[in-house]
Amino acid sequence: MARVDEIRARLREVADPERAAGQQAYMKSDLPFLGVRVPDTRRIARAAAVGETDPARIIADARELWDAASHREERYAAMMLLAVPPARGDLRIVPVIEHMVRTGRWWDFTDELSGRIRELLDAHPKDGDALVRGWCVSEEMWLRRLAILSQLGRRAGTDLHLLSEALDPNLRDGEFFIRKAIGWALRDAARTYPEWVSAYVAAHALSPLIRREALKHL
């Protein structure tokens, strides 16, 4: 695929092997890095999709780039393709997102993809709600994290009922990445709804980590 080959080539043009070693150590990744900064990866992905009008082609390229990735930045670029028009907010990206979360199984992938779910919630509220409700009780921990973080940045558009539905089944989970996500989601909601977050924290038995993160700016 021409777009996939273009992205691979452009990433290698700006690769920095010295940076790559540090990135790989920090991310504890088996997949090696090229040493490309995230803003550069995002720019390359966006540039490769300029002029494209068919969501299906972008989505197919994202899946190809992800599955055949030899370096982590290729997977970053694959996720970023799902954020460009016209793919952004298209329900056809859902199976690819779930595939990425289930095969990537790490926080950097899941957290980036949470933005795509936020966009789906805005574009298709009923379908987005159903996804979050299903994923928040998934056997796959990273899908549960995705559901918990799915409303980050929605501010006044945050659906507090949906947020509560995503959080409640996971409050007793001892996994660090779930507790951290819950605290982060509450902290973000507190920017717009501090009273609601204060009441939620008071009404639930939360781990010290969740409570500390939730109340960080209150």
Side-chain angles (χ1 to χ4, degrees):
M1 295 182 181
R3 182 179 293 111
V4 172
D5 291 339
E6 177 187 347
I7 290 171
R8 288 173 177 151
R10 294 290 174 83
L11 288 172
R12 281 156 178 77
E13 287 173 3
V14 294
D16 181 347
E18 291 187 10
R19 177 181 298 277
Q23 289 174 314
Q24 187 168 0
Y26 173 73
M27 202 55 65
K28 301 176 182 177
S29 171
D30 292 331
L31 200 62
F33 277 82
L34 289 165
V36 182
R37 296 175 184 270
V38 170
D40 289 332
T41 303
R42 197 178 306 278
R43 174 181 54 77
I44 288 167
R46 288 175 175 170
V50 169
E52 180 60 79
T53 59
D54 186 353
R57 283 199 289 261
I58 294 178
I59 294 167
D61 286 347
R63 176 66 186 257
E64 166 66 19
L65 189 56
W66 176 276
D67 286 343
S70 60
H71 292 79
R72 208 169 186 90
E73 289 93 339
E74 291 170 343
R75 288 195 156 182
Y76 291 165
M79 295 188 294
M80 292 163 186
L81 279 178
L82 300 180
V84 303
R88 182 174 59 237
D90 191 302
L91 286 170
R92 285 173 286 185
I93 71 175
V94 172
V96 180
I97 288 174
E98 183 160 352
H99 171 71
M100 289 175 171
V101 172
R102 287 186 178 276
T103 56
R105 306 194 78 247
W106 201 235
W107 64 265
D108 56 337
F109 297 139
T110 303
D111 295 2
E112 171 68 24
L113 291 168
S114 70
R116 308 293 74 76
I117 306 306
R118 180 183 67 245
E119 292 155 1
L120 286 171
L121 285 167
D122 292 337
H124 305 280
K126 289 182 66 175
D127 295 287
D129 286 6
L131 286 171
V132 171
R133 291 190 177 97
W135 285 338
C136 73
V137 293
S138 172
E139 85 292 346
E140 173 55 65
M141 183 264 287
W142 296 105
L143 282 175
R144 287 187 281 120
R145 180 175 169 100
L146 182 70
I148 291 165
L149 297 179
S150 63
Q151 295 198 75
L152 290 180
R154 291 188 88 193
R155 298 296 186 261
T158 302
D159 181 337
L160 297 174
H161 181 68
L162 181 63
L163 179 59
S164 182
E165 284 194 63
L167 300 184
D168 291 351
N170 294 288
L171 293 179
R172 295 186 180 181
D173 194 309
E175 168 59 52
F176 169 81
F177 288 106
I178 292 296
R179 291 187 170 184
K180 189 74 172 179
I182 293 171
W184 185 8
L186 287 169
R187 186 177 77 227
D188 185 73
R191 297 177 185 275
T192 311
Y193 299 105
E195 297 85 0
W196 184 90
V197 171
S198 294
Y200 187 92
V201 170
H204 295 82
L206 304 177
S207 73
L209 172 60
I210 294 174
R211 184 176 296 273
R212 181 172 64 251
E213 289 293 322
L215 301 177
K216 198 167 189 175
H217 301 303
L218 293 180

